[in-house]
Amino acid sequence: MSNEFPQPSEEIKRLTSEIESLRAEMQVSFRKLSQMEKRLRAVFPNLPKKPKATPGQPRQLSSKSGEQLKEDFQRILQAVEESGPQGFDSTISTLPNEDVLALAVELGVGQPKQTSLSKAVEGIRKRIQERRMLGHTRHD
Amino acid sequence: MKEKKGPKSIATINFKGGVGKTTCTWCLGDLLSTFGKSNVLLFDLDAQMSLTQAITLNEDGSLVQQFQTWADKSFKKKKTIFHAIEEYTGAGNFNFGVNYEFIYQISDRYHFIPSVEDLYWLALDVIPRDKMQTFMRSLLAKITWSTNVQNYDYALFDCPPSFTLLSYSVLSVCDMILIPINPDFYAAKGVPLILNMLQMQIEPLPVPKIGVFMNKAKPYGGGMTKESRFYWDSVKDVCQKFSKKSGIKIQCFESPIYDRVKIKRAVTTGGVPPEFVSDFKSLWNNIERFINE
């Protein structure tokens, strides 16, 4: 039998011991960290506490209708046809963030309230590429 | 001589597999013959025999006894579609007799011409293309004038996902070509591909009217999802552009068939599932309006 690869049971044993050793190292580090923090607070009682995570600002919603967003899409498409990827960047940068997010939702590449701006931009870029590839016929 | 009207013919095609050509063709035929008043003749032109198998196999995979008996007789009497092609493209006259040994009766008003494996020979181009072009027209004329079978209002063709000689024979003479698409990039990409191919292969003969519809649309709040809508809008866009430049009549039907689990077993369970009846009725209304324009 080939010795090239270890038996699964040996591999499991090896990984288990590696995980245990990492966990032990992390526990030591955490213990040291909390001791340091305690000493620091003992010396400086007015040290500001860790800021609590605050809920983000509510997103501003786009006031554009579906039709207006489709017009924006056509405008970006046109810009890409004329100037390539730079056309995409220059046109999308003229749109307010809320319209970019709304356009991504309209194109089915984003969820309202969940999609980040960068994901929305990438989604729109993908849809532009798809639309261009779908549009080519022998009459072009 | 008394004039007799042949059936209106509709051929379903898309080069992309799995878009629902077979299921939709079968459902439309079933809808017309069960819920409507039409006599329908259904053709399976695909050598893969998906439609034939779906109609003629029991759920356990065994052949429906009635079909088994009919198929044995049909083969012995040389009454399959392949025998008809052989006779038509042979040296002699086309004296192929049309009767119920050639046509299988699924129900009173829904009849069927099954596929046979021999149709694979047509992929080898062993038959002259020019001769094959007029085959389906001649066969439909024979069916129309035959006193052995009933009159058909519609002939529906389930075409293979490629441009075989038999598809050529149908696509160049039918009244309408029906293209189902799905809400995904590759299925949508199939539309410009097939439009280009149809024009290249059929011209200088006139290209029939083309109807496009969305099958397996993802439902959301009484309509389709934004993603399905994006692909549908893209397809409409390309069809409009193509139609304008080529002069070919293309209509995109705003009557999607929604993606629901039950449709997958529609053929084997023997009826359009109740929740699909209204989708298919709405699709048919659009098809009928367009074909009669």
Side-chain angles (χ1 to χ4, degrees), chain B residues 93-109:
Chain B
N93 290 333
F94 186 44
N95 290 323
F96 190 81
V98 169
N99 56 25
Y100 288 126
E101 283 165 353
F102 176 55
I103 298 172
Y104 177 69
Q105 300 171 81
I106 302 171
S107 67
D108 285 350
R109 290 202 264 130

Side-chain angles (χ1 to χ4, degrees), chain B residues 17-30:
Chain B
V19 293
K21 294 182 287 290
T22 300
T23 308
C24 288
T25 312
W26 188 86
C27 283
L28 284 173
D30 186 50

Side-chain angles (χ1 to χ4, degrees), chain A residues 66 70 73-74 77 104-109 126-140, chain B residues 185 188-190 192-193 195-197 199-200 203 226-227 229-231 233-235 237-238 241-242 245-246:
Chain A
K70 277 179 190 168
F73 182 74
Q74 288 301 331
L77 190 62
V105 173
E106 190 60 33
L107 295 171
V109 283
K126 178 182 163 225
R127 287 291 192 239
I128 290 282
Q129 282 167 350
E130 284 183 333
R131 178 60 69 90
R132 291 188 71 212
M133 285 161 80
L134 287 172
H136 288 157
T137 70
R138 64 196 287 255
H139 294 287
D140 293 332
Chain B
F185 176 75
K189 184 66 194 155
L193 196 73
L195 293 177
N196 287 338
M197 185 63 95
Q199 195 184 14
M200 280 197 292
E203 283 184 345
K226 303 269 188 192
E227 188 180 37
R229 175 58 60 190
F230 168 78
Y231 288 115
D233 285 346
S234 302
V235 166
D237 202 46
V238 80
K241 223 164 81 179
F242 193 92
K245 287 183 178 165
S246 66

Side-chain angles (χ1 to χ4, degrees), chain A residues 6-139:
Chain A
Q7 291 297 304
S9 56
E10 288 171 22
E11 186 67 8
I12 290 169
K13 221 186 271 175
R14 189 185 67 75
L15 283 172
T16 314
S17 92
E18 212 168 294
I19 290 168
E20 281 307 312
S21 111
L22 275 172
R23 183 172 288 137
E25 276 177 34
M26 280 167 73
Q27 279 168 347
V28 170
S29 302
F30 276 127
R31 218 173 290 136
K32 276 186 185 170
L33 265 173
S34 86
Q35 276 173 0
M36 280 170 76
E37 217 174 356
K38 267 184 196 168
R39 281 182 197 163
L40 199 66
R41 291 208 178 279
V43 181
F44 304 104
N46 294 332
L47 197 72
K49 286 184 181 170
K50 260 196 286 184
K52 275 187 190 168
T54 50
Q57 293 291 316
R59 279 184 173 178
Q60 203 174 341
L61 295 176
S62 170
S63 58
K64 285 187 177 172
S65 67
E67 282 308 307
Q68 286 170 317
L69 291 167
K70 277 179 190 168
E71 280 168 20
D72 284 341
F73 182 74
Q74 288 301 331
R75 206 153 51 83
I76 301 169
L77 190 62
Q78 183 77 28
V80 174
E81 299 282 356
E82 285 164 10
S83 326
Q86 285 151 349
F88 179 87
D89 296 330
S90 61
T91 316
I92 206 141
S93 62
T94 62
L95 294 175
N97 291 351
E98 60 269 24
D99 287 355
V100 173
L101 292 164
L103 179 56
V105 173
E106 190 60 33
L107 295 171
V109 283
Q111 296 286 324
K113 297 182 186 173
Q114 284 173 23
T115 307
S116 67
L117 188 63
S118 60
K119 277 198 174 157
V121 171
E122 285 321 301
I124 296 167
R125 196 192 301 274
K126 178 182 163 225
R127 287 291 192 239
I128 290 282
Q129 282 167 350
E130 284 183 333
R131 178 60 69 90
R132 291 188 71 212
M133 285 161 80
L134 287 172
H136 288 157
T137 70
R138 64 196 287 255
H139 294 287

